[in-house]
Amino acid sequence: MSTQINRSWQMSGFGLSRLSQTQGKVPEPGPRDLLVRTRAVSLNYKDKMIVDGVLIPDLTFPFVPTSDAVGEVVAVGGAVTRFQVGQRVLGQVIADWPDGDAPPVLHKHTLGSSLPGMLSEHVIFGEDAAVLAPPSLSDIEAATLPIAALTAWFALAEATRPVAGQTVLVQGTGGVSLFALQFATAFGLRAIVTSSSDEKLERAKKLGAWQGINYRTQPAWDEVARELTNGLGVNHVLEMVGGDNARRSLNALAADGRLSIIGLLGSMELSFPILPFMRNRIVVQGLSIGHRRAFERMNQAIETLAIKPVIDTVFGFDEVPQAMQHLESGPFGKIVITTS
Amino acid sequence: MSTQINRSWQMSGFGLSRLSQTQGKVPEPGPRDLLVRTRAVSLNYKDKMIVDGVLIPDLTFPFVPTSDAVGEVVAVGGAVTRFQVGQRVLGQVIADWPDGDAPPVLHKHTLGSSLPGMLSEHVIFGEDAAVLAPPSLSDIEAATLPIAALTAWFALAEATRPVAGQTVLVQGTGGVSLFALQFATAFGLRAIVTSSSDEKLERAKKLGAWQGINYRTQPAWDEVARELTNGLGVNHVLEMVGGDNARRSLNALAADGRLSIIGLLGSMELSFPILPFMRNRIVVQGLSIGHRRAFERMNQAIETLAIKPVIDTVFGFDEVPQAMQHLESGPFGKIVITTS
Amino acid sequence: MSTQINRSWQMSGFGLSRLSQTQGKVPEPGPRDLLVRTRAVSLNYKDKMIVDGVLIPDLTFPFVPTSDAVGEVVAVGGAVTRFQVGQRVLGQVIADWPDGDAPPVLHKHTLGSSLPGMLSEHVIFGEDAAVLAPPSLSDIEAATLPIAALTAWFALAEATRPVAGQTVLVQGTGGVSLFALQFATAFGLRAIVTSSSDEKLERAKKLGAWQGINYRTQPAWDEVARELTNGLGVNHVLEMVGGDNARRSLNALAADGRLSIIGLLGSMELSFPILPFMRNRIVVQGLSIGHRRAFERMNQAIETLAIKPVIDTVFGFDEVPQAMQHLESGPFGKIVITTS
Amino acid sequence: MSTQINRSWQMSGFGLSRLSQTQGKVPEPGPRDLLVRTRAVSLNYKDKMIVDGVLIPDLTFPFVPTSDAVGEVVAVGGAVTRFQVGQRVLGQVIADWPDGDAPPVLHKHTLGSSLPGMLSEHVIFGEDAAVLAPPSLSDIEAATLPIAALTAWFALAEATRPVAGQTVLVQGTGGVSLFALQFATAFGLRAIVTSSSDEKLERAKKLGAWQGINYRTQPAWDEVARELTNGLGVNHVLEMVGGDNARRSLNALAADGRLSIIGLLGSMELSFPILPFMRNRIVVQGLSIGHRRAFERMNQAIETLAIKPVIDTVFGFDEVPQAMQHLESGPFGKIVITTS
């Protein structure tokens, strides 16, 4: 191995002030593990919630947060057959979910949660929990895929059946939402994007959005969405907020519409009136990222469709606290930290 | 036609006191209509809600309530090809839903709602909105199928994919719930039934229930359901109540579990915590009875499986108010009114 | 009605020489029918097979052939509610298939088969067997949709679940194949097209084809397709030929691949080796055009995706025999006859 | 370990005469492996085809044949977490298929094919390629599940969507067929069984068959099946034979029917007329046993439904040649060899 020292960012307790850089030993791969020299790590809003102690109150310290990384395989365990030294890989965040249904008890093997996170120069992936990074993407771009892109892909392409010509409504312009916008457009769907900023809506249109709704100037965005669809409603809403926002999402839906719950930026609760739910045969589905097979299919599609992840800001490895704080600023796309 | 007079029960306004028997003319079938001499009508809880003015506040009077009837075809319009005089038929309640997705705007053609109801000696069905009654059932039994049985069938056999050996939880012992119990058992599913009465739970077990939970003596019935399934949870819950009950339903569900919303006996609202929803990839689906093709498939299954609807009480045509009141008593199975 | 005379092309027996222009009366719409003044009719290869007596040997004469027409509603029956005079409509070819599963006995109500065909100035559609033509298309373009486009759409978007990034192989450059190419590209799929002409392959690439294979210069086109996909094979093949060609199609397929049988240009038989069929879990599916709901969804997608049908040649109403003969020439796209 | 000697039956070449008992060393489990002391092994017809050199012509010798075994875990590798010493397990035959889609290149890790077979006192299972045996079954019963039961289960419950009341036709009364009969009955399907023996048909009826057809006295069994279903045809046929038999299977199918290819007792080829294939929208699907998740779901169903595998004959470990020969006799159910 090229270095004996492994720099990491570790939480010694909750709060950003207790996240600090440390030096440790490079981990030893087990027989079916990959040792990976990371190149870039991307942040998700849930990383901030974990650092702040909101999402996993019973975390054990020290703990290295974050879940998304791209890197190069620098060593492999003796029983590894799927990868070789020198390949560029991404970690499968729910490490024990290869395909089909998720394991009965989830999050026993999840990167940056029950397993250590990615803010290290060296990390371990099980060989069954890694995929090749798409060759067409830079390290910074590839690092954004494991949670944000796969969540959007799974909601749009795996858990539902997209029918070209249908309408999907994407809330906001964060990382997941912009991937959803890009995928939806590539599938032949009409994407409506909501935002509090006309400027962001303009940028979303350049990425393919069919329509934009400013929910600050038009708080009844659900009614606007209905009007845009001739009163029929949209076929699929990606819910990023929760709480009362989900009531508007329900109202925006067409008959047989689907509401995919993929974010909880605003509330820990969902509530709905029951009658329109039944009358319109609405399906509400909670999602947890996705499985490895979907990750592989997505990467193939990213190559085919020439999709480029939208990067908001790139930070250096010494700027992790600033990067975490930037999560609160409403970034347009992904925040990435380079690690080498 | 054998009679020129058509006796009906009509609402002149809201409230049971304003439901009264009247005599009118036998309706004239249009070119693709069937004129049907009814033999039996079954009640659903929503009929009481309509009579009381709770469900359709903007109803136009006079109005004949109820949706479920079996009868004999006594005349057909000139363009009718699907049925003949003498056949015994059931009406398809959502009359413009033959198969596949429902019409974009539902309830424009629904028996006992936008279309006249069934509490008449003679009623009209469109030929595309009728099915043959299963020969193995009596009139009283067959009359129970159009809403209660089809709702249970659609939730269990059409909108989901039942896998034998899985566990389904059925709330209560009303008409829909007992059909769900009978279908689930016939599909090789394990059915858990909840009730406030040990005696009803015993009767449910005789119908095939794997387990019963008395939610009066065990208010945390969701935890009991988890224990019965070795902590994994049940795969499918048929929600009959709404409100906080749905929170327990969510908690009773296994990973990748499904909650079918088919009743609103307790509340007009649904609310859930968002995190378990996402972590367990729960699907919540609102349902509106079902389409005609499903009705035909169900009738074939009723014949094959020799399923007999559970009848709580049979009333005569002059006893409609008593029958309506009996809906509040917590019947075990269906309430039927004979009309000839 | 604007005219009392209705010009048609009628078969008095089998063979092109027995197809001749006649004058008859304008048909009378029944209570739920539309009378349509046609504007354009498109041909399908099966029309030639019917004229030649190959496809329906027990046809009753006189018979008006062809199935695809666009026209304007000029009168409606008294009970019609879905359409108005003046609207531009397309006929749903399998007239009794609104959605979901097809009727148990097919082709009892099929335009140009059990029902009269479209080579008339005036034709009848049932109101439940018509859809609005997409506003973005000309009459000539719209006339191509009922069989060719809907067959391709149904195979790619309804009977299967397209996953962007996957590979689909389309055989030839006739009407169905070019629609399949255009839809596949719009869904984010990689399309491989086969042809005996390099020039046609070039034109296919301009329409979005990812790769072309000349099966004349490369008869083992299945092996070429495997090489293009890194030895994995393609995910979906649209079979247009049958016979031994289907064996190559099977060999071109990846594990879990699908073969949609939509044409029979070469043979009335299909044969496969059984072992690769089982080892790769291949699905072979026969298709018959599609249902009306799919037609409506497709038209919405055509508008959203701005898809323009590819027209090979347009003939006048007096040139029907020449148009029929042109079917044998291997057209690139559709042949259309204007009727007004 | 309780013994240092491991008795096995090994092929030194093709032909039953070259299958002989040998003694070797007990294998050493790798870090994620289970060492299993077998108790019973079941035979499948393909085992005979492998011994005879028909199915895998390029086999490397010496080779231990057969794929199905139940046994007790007697040692585990250091990294094993899913199982413990003392548990009774079954091997997952396609060892690298946990759920969802199969691996892109199949049969790289298949018991009794690319991996050693089960005719040994001690065998190795990867911990990800084993499931708990259903507690309600004896060793002899449990040994029958890995291929025969899982193939029938996957065809009926996983690759298709069974709808109670529909009709499935099962060919013959071998191991797979009787499991299919038992599962179909438990799912509420009507099962038609074909056989050349009236006596076997009687036994099939005792297991739940709705109808039996003797294809010796009624060679046009497809027409009989159509008559039994009022001319509509059956919804699902499990094809065990191939060749011209598959043509009859196709003819027996109803519109939208499905033909699952799970056996090749009669031919290495499949052939069909193309027109009914398209007109009836037939789906033909090749199957390769099934994945581990399906195995787990099946075992849960076997417990719930109290299904008991049908055993034709039990042989001792010294009687392997006789057991292999008995495969040719047309057994009613499974042939099992005890190994301890």
Side-chain angles (χ1 to χ4, degrees):
Chain A
M1 267 151 269
S2 57
T3 172
Q4 297 306 310
I5 290 172
N6 187 32
R7 292 194 299 159
S8 301
W9 283 86
Q10 275 188 351
M11 296 165 64
S12 59
F14 289 124
L16 198 47
S17 64
R18 302 184 69 183
L19 178 65
S20 58
Q21 212 180 121
T22 61
Q23 298 194 350
K25 289 190 357 190
V26 171
E28 205 54 42
R32 297 193 56 202
D33 286 341
L34 315 177
L35 177 65
V36 173
R37 176 63 176 90
T38 61
R39 291 182 183 167
V41 169
S42 82
L43 299 188
N44 294 283
Y45 190 75
K46 65 96 191 155
D47 296 323
K48 185 73 167 54
M49 293 172 82
I50 288 173
V51 167
D52 290 347
V54 176
L55 200 61
I56 312 181
D58 57 350
L59 204 62
T60 307
F61 304 104
F63 180 76
V64 177
T66 84
S67 305
D68 294 6
V70 68
E72 184 183 333
V73 178
V74 291
V76 299
V80 164
T81 60
R82 296 185 72 239
F83 293 97
Q84 298 171 345
V85 168
Q87 288 183 311
R88 193 173 66 142
V89 293
L90 291 159
Q92 159 64 14
V93 175
I94 301 179
D96 52 354
W97 191 11
D99 199 348
D101 286 343
V105 180
L106 203 65
H107 297 302
K108 285 172 63 181
H109 300 283
T110 300
L111 299 178
S113 171
S114 48
L115 297 174
M118 296 291 110
L119 275 174
S120 291
E121 288 172 334
H122 291 85
V123 297
I124 297 285
F125 297 151
E127 72 159 334
D128 286 339
V131 302
L132 289 176
S136 64
L137 300 189
S138 69
D139 290 338
I140 285 167
E141 289 166 342
T144 66
L145 303 181
I147 287 184
L150 186 52
T151 297
W153 171 269
F154 207 86
L156 281 171
E158 306 269 341
T160 61
R161 181 175 152 168
V163 179
Q166 289 191 327
T167 308
V168 59
L169 186 143
V170 173
Q171 298 176 349
T173 56
V176 181
S177 298
L178 292 187
F179 276 117
L181 165 59
Q182 291 176 291
F183 288 136
T185 304
F187 300 166
L189 305 167
R190 301 192 300 189
I192 300 176
V193 176
T194 62
S195 171
S196 61
S197 152
D198 284 342
E199 183 258 336
K200 286 179 177 170
L201 290 174
E202 276 313 301
R203 293 169 72 186
K205 281 189 185 168
K206 285 188 185 122
L207 288 166
W210 173 60
Q211 300 283 348
I213 305 176
N214 187 323
Y215 63 79
R216 190 149 296 169
T217 57
Q218 299 186 291
W221 56 263
D222 47 333
E223 291 300 328
V224 180
R226 295 195 75 83
E227 282 160 31
L228 289 170
T229 52
N230 300 319
L232 292 174
V234 305
N235 304 102
H236 193 176
V237 173
L238 301 192
E239 176 67 46
M240 297 296 299
V241 182
D244 280 340
N245 192 66
R247 299 177 86 88
R248 290 202 183 275
S249 299
L250 178 68
N251 186 47
L253 282 173
D256 295 295
R258 179 175 284 255
L259 183 57
S260 291
I261 308 293
I262 56 177
L264 36 61
L265 298 175
S267 169
M268 290 298 198
E269 289 283 324
L270 282 174
S271 67
F272 306 107
I274 205 167
L275 268 181
F277 208 93
M278 293 172 72
R279 280 185 176 150
N280 291 326
R281 299 164 310 289
I282 299 302
V283 175
V284 180
Q285 170 153 36
L287 292 162
S288 1
I289 317 179
H291 50 59
R292 193 192 81 202
R293 182 71 63 122
F295 203 162
E296 292 164 342
R297 280 195 279 256
M298 178 183 76
N299 287 353
Q300 188 180 346
I302 285 173
E303 292 293 291
T304 299
L305 301 166
I307 285 176
K308 298 291 178 190
V310 178
I311 310 295
D312 181 272
T313 319
V314 180
F315 292 88
F317 191 65
D318 295 336
E319 299 174 301
V320 166
Q322 295 91 313
M324 284 280 176
Q325 278 173 319
H326 194 61
L327 276 171
E328 298 282 6
S329 69
F332 188 89
K334 295 293 292 177
I335 299 169
V336 181
I337 295 160
T338 54
T339 59
S340 60
Chain B
M1 264 152 271
S2 57
T3 172
Q4 297 305 310
I5 290 171
N6 188 32
R7 291 194 301 159
S8 302
W9 284 84
Q10 275 188 351
M11 297 165 63
S12 59
F14 290 124
L16 197 47
S17 64
R18 302 184 67 183
L19 178 66
S20 57
Q21 213 181 122
T22 61
Q23 296 194 350
K25 287 186 6 186
V26 171
E28 205 54 42
R32 296 193 56 202
D33 286 342
L34 316 177
L35 177 66
V36 172
R37 176 62 176 91
T38 61
R39 291 183 183 166
V41 169
S42 82
L43 299 188
N44 295 283
Y45 190 74
K46 65 97 191 154
D47 296 324
K48 185 74 167 52
M49 293 171 82
I50 288 173
V51 167
D52 289 347
V54 176
L55 200 61
I56 312 180
D58 56 350
L59 204 61
T60 307
F61 304 106
F63 180 76
V64 176
T66 84
S67 305
D68 295 5
V70 68
E72 184 183 335
V73 178
V74 291
V76 299
V80 163
T81 61
R82 296 185 72 238
F83 293 97
Q84 299 170 344
V85 168
Q87 289 183 309
R88 192 173 66 142
V89 294
L90 292 159
Q92 159 65 14
V93 176
I94 302 178
D96 51 355
W97 190 12
D99 198 349
D101 286 342
V105 180
L106 204 65
H107 297 303
K108 285 170 62 180
H109 300 284
T110 300
L111 299 178
S113 170
S114 48
L115 298 174
M118 297 291 111
L119 274 174
S120 291
E121 288 172 335
H122 291 86
V123 298
I124 296 285
F125 298 151
E127 73 160 333
D128 286 340
V131 302
L132 288 176
S136 64
L137 301 190
S138 69
D139 290 339
I140 286 167
E141 289 165 342
T144 66
L145 303 181
I147 286 184
L150 187 51
T151 297
W153 171 269
F154 207 85
L156 281 172
E158 306 270 340
T160 61
R161 181 174 152 168
V163 178
Q166 289 190 328
T167 309
V168 61
L169 186 143
V170 173
Q171 299 176 348
T173 56
V176 181
S177 298
L178 292 187
F179 277 117
L181 165 59
Q182 290 176 292
F183 288 136
T185 303
F187 300 166
L189 305 168
R190 301 191 301 190
I192 301 175
V193 176
T194 62
S195 171
S196 61
S197 151
D198 284 342
E199 183 258 335
K200 286 179 177 170
L201 290 174
E202 276 314 302
R203 294 168 71 185
K205 281 188 185 169
K206 285 187 185 124
L207 288 167
W210 172 60
Q211 300 282 345
I213 305 176
N214 186 323
Y215 63 78
R216 190 150 296 169
T217 57
Q218 298 186 291
W221 57 263
D222 47 334
E223 291 300 329
V224 180
R226 296 196 74 83
E227 281 160 32
L228 288 171
T229 51
N230 301 319
L232 292 175
V234 305
N235 303 102
H236 193 176
V237 173
L238 301 192
E239 177 68 45
M240 297 296 299
V241 181
D244 280 339
N245 192 66
R247 299 177 85 88
R248 290 201 184 274
S249 299
L250 178 69
N251 186 46
L253 281 174
D256 295 294
R258 178 176 285 255
L259 183 57
S260 291
I261 308 294
I262 55 178
L264 35 62
L265 297 175
S267 169
M268 291 298 198
E269 290 282 324
L270 282 174
S271 67
F272 307 108
I274 205 168
L275 268 180
F277 209 93
M278 293 172 72
R279 280 187 176 148
N280 291 327
R281 298 164 309 289
I282 299 302
V283 174
V284 181
Q285 170 152 35
L287 292 162
S288 356
I289 319 178
H291 51 59
R292 194 193 79 202
R293 180 73 63 120
F295 202 162
E296 291 164 342
R297 279 195 279 256
M298 178 183 77
N299 287 352
Q300 188 181 347
I302 284 172
E303 291 293 289
T304 299
L305 302 166
I307 286 176
K308 297 291 178 192
V310 179
I311 310 295
D312 181 274
T313 318
V314 180
F315 291 88
F317 192 64
D318 295 335
E319 300 172 301
V320 166
Q322 295 91 314
M324 285 280 176
Q325 278 173 320
H326 195 60
L327 275 171
E328 298 281 8
S329 70
F332 188 90
K334 296 293 292 176
I335 299 169
V336 180
I337 295 159
T338 54
T339 58
S340 59
Chain C
M1 266 153 269
S2 56
T3 172
Q4 296 306 310
I5 291 173
N6 187 33
R7 293 193 301 158
S8 301
W9 283 85
Q10 275 188 351
M11 296 166 63
S12 59
F14 290 124
L16 197 47
S17 65
R18 302 184 69 185
L19 178 66
S20 58
Q21 215 180 120
T22 62
Q23 295 194 351
K25 288 192 357 192
V26 172
E28 204 54 43
R32 296 193 55 200
D33 286 342
L34 315 178
L35 177 66
V36 172
R37 175 64 176 89
T38 61
R39 292 182 183 166
V41 168
S42 82
L43 298 187
N44 294 284
Y45 190 75
K46 65 99 189 153
D47 296 324
K48 185 75 168 52
M49 294 172 83
I50 288 173
V51 167
D52 289 348
V54 177
L55 199 61
I56 312 181
D58 57 349
L59 204 59
T60 308
F61 304 106
F63 180 75
V64 177
T66 83
S67 305
D68 295 4
V70 68
E72 183 183 334
V73 179
V74 291
V76 299
V80 163
T81 60
R82 297 184 70 239
F83 292 97
Q84 298 170 345
V85 168
Q87 289 184 309
R88 192 173 68 141
V89 294
L90 292 158
Q92 159 65 12
V93 175
I94 301 178
D96 52 354
W97 190 11
D99 198 350
D101 286 342
V105 180
L106 205 63
H107 296 301
K108 286 171 62 181
H109 300 283
T110 299
L111 299 177
S113 170
S114 48
L115 297 175
M118 297 291 110
L119 274 174
S120 291
E121 288 172 335
H122 291 86
V123 297
I124 296 285
F125 298 151
E127 72 160 333
D128 285 340
V131 302
L132 289 176
S136 64
L137 301 189
S138 69
D139 290 339
I140 286 167
E141 289 166 342
T144 66
L145 303 182
I147 287 185
L150 186 52
T151 297
W153 171 268
F154 208 85
L156 282 171
E158 307 269 340
T160 61
R161 181 176 151 166
V163 178
Q166 289 190 327
T167 308
V168 61
L169 186 143
V170 174
Q171 298 176 349
T173 56
V176 181
S177 297
L178 292 186
F179 277 117
L181 166 59
Q182 291 176 292
F183 288 137
T185 304
F187 300 167
L189 304 167
R190 301 190 301 189
I192 300 176
V193 176
T194 63
S195 171
S196 61
S197 152
D198 284 342
E199 183 258 338
K200 286 180 178 170
L201 289 174
E202 276 313 302
R203 293 169 72 186
K205 281 189 185 169
K206 286 190 185 121
L207 287 167
W210 172 60
Q211 300 282 346
I213 306 177
N214 187 321
Y215 63 80
R216 191 150 295 166
T217 58
Q218 299 188 291
W221 57 263
D222 47 332
E223 292 300 328
V224 180
R226 294 196 75 84
E227 282 160 30
L228 288 171
T229 52
N230 301 319
L232 292 174
V234 306
N235 304 102
H236 194 177
V237 173
L238 301 193
E239 178 68 45
M240 297 296 299
V241 182
D244 280 340
N245 192 66
R247 297 176 88 87
R248 291 203 183 274
S249 298
L250 179 68
N251 186 46
L253 281 174
D256 296 294
R258 177 175 285 254
L259 184 56
S260 291
I261 308 294
I262 56 179
L264 34 62
L265 298 175
S267 169
M268 290 297 198
E269 289 282 324
L270 282 175
S271 68
F272 307 107
I274 205 168
L275 267 181
F277 208 94
M278 292 172 72
R279 280 185 176 150
N280 290 327
R281 298 164 310 289
I282 299 302
V283 175
V284 180
Q285 170 153 36
L287 291 163
S288 2
I289 318 179
H291 51 59
R292 194 192 78 201
R293 181 72 63 122
F295 202 162
E296 292 164 342
R297 280 195 279 256
M298 178 184 76
N299 287 354
Q300 187 181 346
I302 284 171
E303 292 293 289
T304 298
L305 302 166
I307 286 176
K308 297 291 178 191
V310 178
I311 310 296
D312 180 273
T313 319
V314 181
F315 291 88
F317 191 66
D318 295 336
E319 300 173 301
V320 166
Q322 295 93 312
M324 284 280 176
Q325 279 174 318
H326 194 62
L327 275 171
E328 297 282 6
S329 70
F332 188 90
K334 295 294 292 177
I335 299 169
V336 181
I337 295 158
T338 53
T339 59
S340 59
Chain D
M1 267 152 271
S2 56
T3 173
Q4 295 306 311
I5 291 172
N6 188 33
R7 292 194 301 158
S8 301
W9 283 86
Q10 276 188 350
M11 297 165 64
S12 59
F14 290 124
L16 198 47
S17 65
R18 301 184 69 184
L19 179 65
S20 58
Q21 212 181 121
T22 62
Q23 295 195 351
K25 287 188 5 186
V26 172
E28 204 56 41
R32 296 193 53 199
D33 285 343
L34 316 177
L35 177 66
V36 172
R37 176 63 177 90
T38 62
R39 293 182 182 166
V41 169
S42 82
L43 298 187
N44 294 283
Y45 191 75
K46 64 98 190 155
D47 296 324
K48 186 74 167 51
M49 294 172 82
I50 288 173
V51 167
D52 289 347
V54 177
L55 200 61
I56 313 181
D58 56 350
L59 204 60
T60 307
F61 304 105
F63 180 75
V64 177
T66 83
S67 305
D68 295 4
V70 67
E72 183 184 334
V73 178
V74 291
V76 299
V80 164
T81 60
R82 297 185 71 239
F83 293 98
Q84 297 171 345
V85 167
Q87 289 184 310
R88 192 172 68 141
V89 294
L90 292 158
Q92 158 65 13
V93 176
I94 302 178
D96 52 354
W97 190 11
D99 198 349
D101 286 342
V105 181
L106 205 64
H107 296 302
K108 285 170 64 179
H109 300 283
T110 299
L111 299 178
S113 171
S114 48
L115 298 175
M118 296 291 109
L119 274 174
S120 291
E121 289 173 335
H122 291 85
V123 297
I124 296 285
F125 297 151
E127 72 160 333
D128 285 341
V131 303
L132 289 175
S136 64
L137 300 189
S138 70
D139 289 339
I140 286 167
E141 290 165 341
T144 66
L145 303 181
I147 287 184
L150 187 52
T151 297
W153 171 268
F154 208 84
L156 281 171
E158 307 268 341
T160 60
R161 180 175 153 168
V163 179
Q166 290 191 327
T167 308
V168 60
L169 186 143
V170 174
Q171 298 177 347
T173 56
V176 180
S177 298
L178 291 187
F179 277 117
L181 165 59
Q182 291 177 290
F183 288 137
T185 304
F187 301 166
L189 305 167
R190 301 191 300 189
I192 300 175
V193 176
T194 64
S195 171
S196 61
S197 152
D198 284 342
E199 182 258 338
K200 285 180 178 170
L201 289 174
E202 275 314 301
R203 293 169 71 186
K205 282 190 185 168
K206 286 189 184 123
L207 289 167
W210 172 60
Q211 301 282 346
I213 306 176
N214 187 323
Y215 64 79
R216 190 151 296 168
T217 57
Q218 299 186 289
W221 57 264
D222 47 333
E223 292 300 329
V224 180
R226 295 195 74 83
E227 282 160 32
L228 288 171
T229 51
N230 300 319
L232 292 174
V234 305
N235 304 102
H236 193 176
V237 173
L238 301 192
E239 177 68 45
M240 296 297 299
V241 181
D244 280 340
N245 191 67
R247 298 176 87 87
R248 291 202 183 273
S249 299
L250 178 68
N251 186 46
L253 282 174
D256 296 294
R258 178 175 285 254
L259 183 56
S260 291
I261 308 295
I262 56 178
L264 34 64
L265 298 175
S267 169
M268 291 298 198
E269 289 282 325
L270 282 175
S271 67
F272 307 108
I274 205 167
L275 268 181
F277 208 94
M278 292 172 72
R279 281 186 176 149
N280 291 326
R281 299 163 310 288
I282 299 302
V283 175
V284 181
Q285 169 153 36
L287 291 162
S288 354
I289 318 178
H291 51 59
R292 194 191 78 203
R293 181 72 63 121
F295 203 162
E296 293 165 341
R297 280 196 278 256
M298 177 183 77
N299 287 353
Q300 188 181 347
I302 284 172
E303 292 292 290
T304 299
L305 301 166
I307 285 177
K308 297 291 177 191
V310 178
I311 310 296
D312 181 273
T313 318
V314 180
F315 292 87
F317 191 66
D318 295 335
E319 300 173 302
V320 166
Q322 294 92 312
M324 285 279 177
Q325 279 173 319
H326 195 61
L327 276 171
E328 298 282 7
S329 70
F332 189 88
K334 295 294 292 177
I335 299 170
V336 182
I337 295 159
T338 54
T339 58
S340 58

